[in-house]
Amino acid sequence: MKKKTKSSALIKTFNAYVKAVQKADLKAMFDTVTKKKKLHFLTACGNVIKSRRGYYEFHRKWFKEKLWKMPVNIIAFHEGEEMGYVIAEFHYKKRLDAGGWYILDSNFTLIFQKEGGKWKVVADICTPIKRLYTEKNPAITYSREQLYALDMLEARRTVHQFKRTPVPREHIMKIIDAARFAPTAGNQQPWKFLVIEDRKRLGVLKKKVAAWYSAPYKGDVRNKKELEEVQRTLRKMLGHVFSAPVYIAVLVDMQVKYPYSTIYDGTLAAANLMIAARTLGYGSGFFTTFFPEDQVRELFHIPRRYKLICFSPIGIPKHWPEAPKKKDLKQLVVMEKF
Ligand SMILES: Cc1cc2nc3c(=O)[nH]c(=O)nc-3n(C[C@H](O)[C@H](O)[C@H](O)COP(=O)(O)O)c2cc1C
């Protein structure tokens, strides 16, 4: 077999392709790409693109981005009569607006075919090596998975209004499964998670709660108009908070070894529950005031030994609420000593 050198026609085409990519020159890049409709592209992020058009669109969008670089090294190549391939690696690095870098390292194989006597790319197969993000200090890195977990904590929101879309039983159980991994005093795990989907019973609770809330106003409010206004606002508010397809009441058993710790045990489980719900795309909440313990206890036959920590709606939000203003990190952190 004739030994090919790096100055072969195939490598020249490959180099032209890489140079065009590095310069974000779409036209020059597509001079090295097949003219035929079919082209297979397996991206380093796991997407499959099956056409020249898709390949073009991918690069058109990408080339609009700024502040990136992508050195390439050839690992191996083979040049046949009609087909050839080049195996290489790229190290993509993009500066992030917030500081730091997005880094994607991947192997890739470009498969070429002869068209009109010239080498043209007909397939581009990426095999990712690593993908990570760095702080401004590049020694501090985060994987995509790490960032995703942190994002879920930040993106959790208290939601008051929901779509009627049902939540599959599997998701409800997955959310509770995540809740039960919360820490507890002496590992006592004092929880019960009461799942409520029955609209009829929820309707009864809503009426009871409305009556319970407006009762004190009745003696207080001087005229009928004022009372009506209070009741209208209450109806609207309750209409919202009772709109979720499912509720989970987080309860704790007070007949355990450390009953004074159950409030922490219950609250930590509720936190896990809300974060798990967010991870699956649901809004939730830590509701106390809208669901008075006595009303809830009576309607759902909750034994006296259990205390209600919170009532958590789970559902697709009607709109994801804006994040309320959170304090700056600096305001909250004290290092070593006050
Ligand atoms: C102990 C506790 C009790 C809460 N009680 C209620 C409640 O009764 N009704 C309600 O709408 N939200 C309640 N919340 C939710 C807070 O209002 C909410 O977390 C806060 O406004 C911040 O919004 P965010 O959860 O979207 O970050 C409660 C939260 C906690 C921790």
Side-chain angles (χ1 to χ4, degrees):
M1 203 175 82
K2 208 170 98 187
K3 182 118 173 70
K4 298 281 188 329
T5 67
K6 287 208 171 184
S7 62
S8 74
L10 182 78
I11 292 302
K12 272 188 189 153
T13 309
F14 177 81
N15 287 339
Y17 170 96
V18 168
K19 202 168 155 194
V21 170
Q22 287 167 336
K23 286 181 154 179
D25 183 341
L26 206 54
K27 187 181 170 309
M29 178 192 162
F30 272 78
D31 283 347
T32 65
V33 171
T34 179
K35 297 275 183 279
K36 294 178 186 161
K37 277 189 183 165
K38 218 160 135 187
L39 181 152
H40 281 95
F41 176 32
L42 273 54
T43 76
C45 299
N47 297 317
V48 181
I49 290 171
K50 294 181 179 172
S51 66
R52 183 186 193 274
R53 171 113 218 113
Y55 198 52
Y56 185 88
E57 280 306 307
F58 176 94
H59 287 87
R60 191 180 62 78
K61 280 189 202 142
W62 168 23
F63 289 174
K64 281 187 186 165
E65 292 177 11
K66 297 203 164 55
L67 301 171
W68 58 269
K69 49 190 178 182
M70 195 177 84
V72 170
N73 299 314
I74 295 176
I75 297 169
F77 71 99
H78 169 73
E79 188 167 5
E81 291 303 319
E82 290 299 316
M83 288 197 78
Y85 61 78
V86 180
I87 302 171
E89 59 186 327
F90 70 72
H91 302 278
Y92 178 78
K93 201 173 170 189
K94 184 179 145 190
R95 191 190 283 282
L96 301 171
D97 290 341
W101 295 89
Y102 166 59
I103 290 167
L104 172 62
D105 290 350
S106 179
N107 290 323
F108 69 107
T109 303
L110 284 190
I111 299 177
F112 293 83
Q113 223 169 30
K114 279 266 174 75
E115 272 174 34
K118 290 191 173 157
W119 287 116
K120 301 283 177 186
V121 175
V122 291
D124 179 351
I125 300 151
C126 295
T127 315
I129 303 165
K130 71 172 183 212
R131 190 139 79 118
L132 53 86
Y133 299 77
T134 77
E135 288 273 8
K136 278 181 197 153
N137 169 1
I140 308 293
T141 64
Y142 304 103
S143 69
R144 215 169 120 81
E145 291 74 19
Q146 285 171 326
L147 277 188
Y148 187 74
L150 295 170
D151 279 352
M152 286 302 103
L153 295 170
E154 192 177 325
R156 179 210 53 77
R157 279 284 70 75
T158 296
V159 173
H160 289 101
Q161 236 187 321
F162 297 87
K163 292 184 181 170
R164 282 265 178 244
T165 321
V167 178
R169 179 58 53 90
E170 290 81 354
H171 276 175
I172 297 170
M173 297 315 283
K174 191 54 111 191
I175 288 166
I176 297 174
D177 198 25
R180 79 185 170 92
F181 289 108
T184 53
N187 197 27
Q188 59 183 350
Q189 304 168 62
W191 313 294
K192 286 282 181 208
F193 299 96
L194 170 67
V195 179
I196 303 159
E197 292 174 291
D198 180 352
R199 298 300 331 158
K200 245 192 189 162
R201 224 175 259 254
L202 284 164
V204 174
L205 179 63
K206 189 167 132 188
K207 273 195 190 141
K208 275 175 172 266
V209 172
W212 188 81
Y213 266 108
S214 50
Y217 291 99
K218 278 190 178 156
D220 213 26
V221 181
R222 283 201 194 106
N223 60 52
K224 210 172 148 224
K225 237 178 153 187
E226 235 176 293
L227 176 63
E228 278 169 8
E229 182 59 35
V230 166
Q231 284 174 330
R232 213 180 1 260
T233 312
L234 191 61
R235 256 200 309 276
K236 192 175 162 199
M237 219 160 65
L238 292 178
H240 288 171
V241 294
F242 275 90
S243 61
V246 56
Y247 292 82
I248 301 173
V250 179
L251 306 164
V252 285
D253 188 351
M254 298 306 283
Q255 293 178 17
V256 286
K257 195 166 175 193
Y258 309 110
Y260 42 86
S261 294
T262 52
I263 186 137
Y264 307 118
D265 301 339
T267 307
L268 287 163
N272 270 21
L273 180 145
M274 292 187 285
I275 294 155
R278 180 62 190 88
T279 305
L280 301 183
Y282 300 111
S284 65
F286 191 110
F287 290 171
T288 47
T289 47
F290 301 123
F291 302 91
E293 186 164 6
D294 287 348
Q295 311 284 321
V296 171
R297 183 181 300 286
E298 187 191 323
L299 197 60
F300 299 101
H301 310 297
I302 300 170
R304 281 271 145 219
R305 63 188 288 170
Y306 294 106
K307 178 172 170 45
L308 177 67
I309 296 293
C310 69
F311 220 73
S312 262
I314 308 285
I316 308 274
K318 198 145 190 202
H319 319 279
W320 276 105
E322 291 266 310
K325 178 93 185 101
K326 300 281 178 182
K327 291 181 178 174
D328 277 352
L329 188 58
K330 273 193 227 145
Q331 278 178 276
L332 304 173
V333 180
V334 179
M335 301 297 272
E336 310 294 354
K337 264 184 181 180
F338 269 89

